C-alpha cells in the first residue's frame, strides 16, 4: 500500500509505503496516485489504550446508564429502571451514590418491583440486585442484594448479555485506536478467543507473557510480605497492581521493594500518590498507568467522596513525568470515557499543576503495548499500526478531538471504512 502526501514527524510531507505489515519506505512525494491520498494530514502511530475492560465495554450496548450525568437524580433513576416490559431483566451501569444514595435490594424494590434489576456501581466493583432478580437467580437467601467483587460467581445466574464487540472495535478504530490492553483481574482462558473479533491488537493481562493483574481492596489488603510473595510467585513475569488508595500504594511499593522490580511492572490507576512517594516510584522504575480524565469526569463527587488529605494527590500526571516516573494512560472504559482524545484533553486541562503539554498528552496513548511509557514513532521498519489524520499534527494537537481521525490501519490493513 502507498499512502501519499502525508506529514510524518522528522520527514515533513512525504509518501509512505507499507508492505508485509510494516512501514517499508518513507520518501519524498512523487507524481502519481497512491492507494490513499493523505492530503497533507499527519500520519501517526496508532493509539493504544493501556487499560480497558473490553467485555464490560461490549456489554454496555445491552445496558442502561444510570450515572450522575445520565440519570441525574432519584426520579431519573426510577424512569431508567422502569423502561421496557415488566418481567424483563434490567442491567444498569455507572451508578454513583450522588444519584439516589446507597442502593440495596429494598431500595431497588421500591424503584422497580415488577422486573429483575441489577445495578453496577461506577467503580465496577459492586453489584446491587433487587428481590425479583435474586428470586429469578435462586439467590434469595435473605441478604441485602449487594455483591462486592463477585462478578465471576454471579455470571452464571443471569441471562446472557449480548456483547457488541464488533461495535467496540468500530468505535475504537474511529478514535485511531490500534491496540488494547485488557485489564480484567481474572481473565478466563477463553477471553482471547472471545476478543479476537476485534480488529485491534490485544494484550490480555494474565494471559501469555502479559503482566499479571493483582487486585487490591482495603478490606482484604494483604501485608507487604504477603503481597511480595504473590509477586515473587509470578516472576519473571511483570505485575500490574491495582492501586486506588494511599494504603494500597504503600503496601505495593513495600512489596516491590522486597520482591524486586522487573521491567514491565505497573501501577494501575495510581489514584492517590502522595508526593513523598515519588522518589520511591522513580527508584523502582515502575510504570504508572493513570486516568487523568477522572478528576474531570468525577470532580463533583470527588470533592465530597475523597479524603481532604488525598485531594492534592489524585491521578497525578505532570508531577510523575517530572519525577522521572514512566507514565502512560488508559481510558478504563466502560468505567470512564472510551475516547482517548477526551482523556488527552483532560490531561492538558488539569488543574493543580498536573497539566501536561499537548504532545505529552498524545504520547500517553502512543506507548508500546508491553512498555507503555516508551512512545513509538513512525520509522522505516516499524509495525504499520497507523492513524491518518485529516489535518497536520499541530492543528490536531490544538483541536485534540477524535474528529481529526480519518483512517486507522493495523498491520497495514485499513480497519476504518473510507470516508
Amino acid at each position: 500500500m502507498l499512502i501519499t502526501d502525508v506529514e510524518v514527524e522528522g520527514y515533513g510531507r512525504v509518501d509512505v509505503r507499507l508492505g508485509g505489515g510494516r512501514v517499508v519506505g518513507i520518501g519524498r512525494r512523487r507524481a502519481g496516485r497512491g492507494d490513499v491520498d493523505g492530503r497533507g494530514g499527519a500520519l501517526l502511530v496508532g493509539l493504544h489504550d493501556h487499560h480497558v475492560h473490553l467485555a464490560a465495554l461490549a456489554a454496555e450496548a445491552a445496558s442502561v446508564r444510570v450515572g450522575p450525568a445520565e440519570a441525574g437524580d432519584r426520579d431519573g433513576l426510577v424512569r431508567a429502571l422502569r423502561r421496557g416490559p415488566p418481567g424483563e431483566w434490567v442491567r444498569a451501569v455507572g451508578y454513583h451514590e450522588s444519584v439516589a444514595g446507597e442502593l440495596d435490594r429494598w431500595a431497588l424494590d421500591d424503584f422497580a418491583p415488577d422486573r429483575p434489576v441489577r445495578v453496577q456501581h461506577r467503580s465496577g466493583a459492586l453489584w446491587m440486585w433487587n428481590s425479583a432478580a435474586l428470586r429469578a437467580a435462586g439467590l434469595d437467601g435473605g441478604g441485602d442484594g449487594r455483591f462486592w467483587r463477585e462478578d465471576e460467581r454471579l455470571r452464571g445466574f443471569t441471562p446472557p448479555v449480548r456483547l457488541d464487540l464488533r461495535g467496540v472495535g468500530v468505535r475504537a478504530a474511529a478514535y485511531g485506536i490500534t491496540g488494547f490492553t485488557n485489564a480484567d483481574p481474572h481473565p478466563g482462558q477463553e477471553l482471547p478467543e472471545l476478543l479476537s473479533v476485534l480488529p485491534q491488537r490485544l494484550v490480555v493481562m494474565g494471559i501469555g507473557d502479559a503482566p499479571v493483574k493483582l487486585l487490591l481492596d482495603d478490606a482484604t489488603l494483604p501485608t507487604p510480605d504477603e503481597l511480595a510473595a504473590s509477586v515473587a510467585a509470578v516472576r519473571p513475569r511483570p505485575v500490574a497492581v491495582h492501586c486506588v488508595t494511599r494504603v494500597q500504594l504503600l503496601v505495593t511499593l513495600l512489596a516491590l521493594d522486597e520482591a524486586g522490580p522487573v521491567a514491565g511492572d505497573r501501577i494501575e490507576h495510581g489514584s492517590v500518590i502522595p508526593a513523598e512517594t515519588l522518589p520511591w516510584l522513580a527508584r523502582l522504575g515502575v510504570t504508572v498507568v493513570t486516568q487523568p480524565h477522572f478528576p474531570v469526569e468525577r470532580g463533583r463527587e470527588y470533592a465530597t467522596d475523597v479524603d481532604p488529605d488525598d485531594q492534592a494527590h489524585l491521578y497525578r500526571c505532570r508531577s510523575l513525568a517530572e519525577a522521572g516516573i514512566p507514565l502512560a494512560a488508559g481510558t478504563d472504559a466502560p468505567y470512564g470515557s472510551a475516547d482517548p482524545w477526551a482523556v488527552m484533553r483532560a490531561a492538558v486541562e488539569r488543574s493543580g499543576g498536573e497539566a501536561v503539554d499537548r504532545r505529552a498528552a498524545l504520547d500517553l496513548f502512543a506507548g508500546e503495548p508491553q512498555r507503555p511509557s516508551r512512545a513509538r514513532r513512525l520509522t522505516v521498519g516499524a509495525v504499520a499500526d497507523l492513524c491518518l489524520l485529516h489535518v497536520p499534527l499541530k492543528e490536531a494537537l490544538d483541536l485534540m478531538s477524535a474528529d481529526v481521525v480519518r483512517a486507522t490501519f493495523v498491520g497495514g490493513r485499513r480497519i476504518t471504512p473510507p470516508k
Side-chain angles (χ1 to χ4, degrees):
M1 177 183 291
L2 178 63
I3 306 175
T4 61
D5 190 18
V6 288
E7 178 196 65
V8 175
E9 282 187 284
Y11 293 90
R13 287 178 70 164
V14 293
D15 294 345
V16 175
R17 187 173 294 279
L18 313 179
R22 293 187 175 271
V23 177
V24 296
I26 302 176
R28 70 181 174 83
R29 294 159 58 197
R30 298 178 181 274
R33 297 183 60 183
D35 299 286
V36 178
D37 181 356
R39 305 174 206 154
L43 186 64
L44 309 175
V45 297
L47 305 181
H48 189 97
D49 188 339
H50 295 288
H51 184 116
V52 64
H53 301 274
L54 291 165
L57 181 58
E60 274 206 321
S63 306
V64 179
R65 291 206 61 85
V66 292
E70 299 87 11
D73 56 18
R74 180 187 184 279
D75 291 342
L77 175 65
V78 170
R79 286 194 297 272
L81 297 182
R82 290 183 179 179
R83 290 192 197 116
E88 183 177 85
W89 276 80
V90 176
R91 183 184 193 271
V93 297
Y95 183 77
H96 182 266
E97 291 78 8
S98 61
V99 173
E102 297 277 352
L103 297 184
D104 55 25
R105 67 183 296 176
W106 300 287
L108 291 172
D109 287 350
D110 186 41
F111 296 162
D114 62 345
R115 68 202 64 206
V117 170
R118 54 187 177 127
V119 180
Q120 188 183 45
H121 191 269
R122 182 173 66 183
S123 65
L126 175 67
W127 281 98
M128 298 152 282
W129 290 30
N130 73 348
S131 294
L134 292 168
R135 287 194 298 270
L139 295 173
D140 193 5
D144 60 6
R146 290 168 63 89
F147 299 96
W148 177 263
R149 295 213 188 278
E150 294 193 61
D151 291 58
E152 287 183 270
R153 182 171 79 90
L154 296 177
R155 198 167 291 129
F157 293 100
T158 58
V161 175
R162 184 178 69 86
L163 299 182
D164 183 21
L165 284 163
R166 294 190 185 279
V168 168
V170 168
R171 289 187 291 274
Y175 294 140
I177 294 175
T178 57
F180 294 110
T181 295
N182 189 77
D184 296 350
H186 304 295
Q189 291 299 315
E190 74 285 353
L191 185 60
E193 182 176 356
L194 176 70
L195 300 179
S196 66
V197 300
L198 293 165
Q200 287 82 8
R201 297 186 190 274
L202 294 172
V203 175
V204 179
M205 286 188 182
I207 303 292
D209 59 355
V212 175
K213 177 82 174 283
L214 299 179
L215 184 64
L216 302 184
D217 286 312
D218 284 0
T220 57
L221 195 65
T223 66
D225 286 347
E226 290 168 340
L227 184 57
S230 297
V231 171
V234 302
R235 292 299 195 222
R237 295 172 68 187
V239 293
V241 189
H242 167 102
C243 291
V244 297
T245 66
R246 181 186 295 247
V247 67
Q248 289 171 19
L249 178 70
L250 294 175
V251 167
T252 297
L253 296 181
L254 287 166
L256 288 175
D257 253 345
E258 181 174 338
V262 301
D265 281 343
R266 302 162 45 136
I267 300 291
E268 303 302 308
H269 309 300
S271 307
V272 180
I273 300 182
E276 59 269 22
T277 65
L278 297 183
W280 196 354
L281 278 163
R283 176 173 58 79
L284 288 169
V286 63
T287 298
V288 176
V289 179
T290 189
Q291 287 76 46
H293 53 312
F294 278 4
V296 176
E297 292 182 0
R298 306 177 178 185
R300 186 182 67 178
E301 293 83 20
Y302 281 174
T304 56
D305 293 354
V306 176
D307 189 301
D309 290 341
D310 290 338
Q311 293 280 351
H313 309 299
L314 287 173
Y315 292 96
R316 291 182 178 275
C317 208
R318 181 174 180 173
S319 57
L320 295 178
E322 289 181 340
I325 295 162
L327 181 65
T331 63
D332 200 27
Y335 311 116
S337 169
D339 179 357
W341 297 91
V343 180
M344 294 178 215
R345 288 196 303 273
V348 168
E349 296 167 1
R350 287 287 302 276
S351 59
E354 289 300 331
V356 299
D357 67 42
R358 292 175 181 271
R359 179 66 222 213
L362 178 62
D363 282 346
L364 293 173
F365 289 93
E368 297 176 7
Q370 297 284 16
R371 296 289 187 272
S373 68
R374 186 180 299 168
R376 294 165 289 137
R377 293 289 183 262
L378 202 164
T379 58
V380 174
V383 174
D385 295 351
L386 306 171
C387 176
L388 175 62
L389 307 184
H390 288 288
V391 297
L393 179 59
K394 183 180 185 304
E395 188 175 344
L397 292 177
D398 287 340
L399 293 170
M400 203 138 283
S401 165
D403 291 341
V404 302
V405 177
R406 180 178 159 204
T408 305
F409 304 83
V410 173
R413 180 178 64 87
R414 186 170 185 156
I415 63 170
T416 46
K419 295 182 181 179

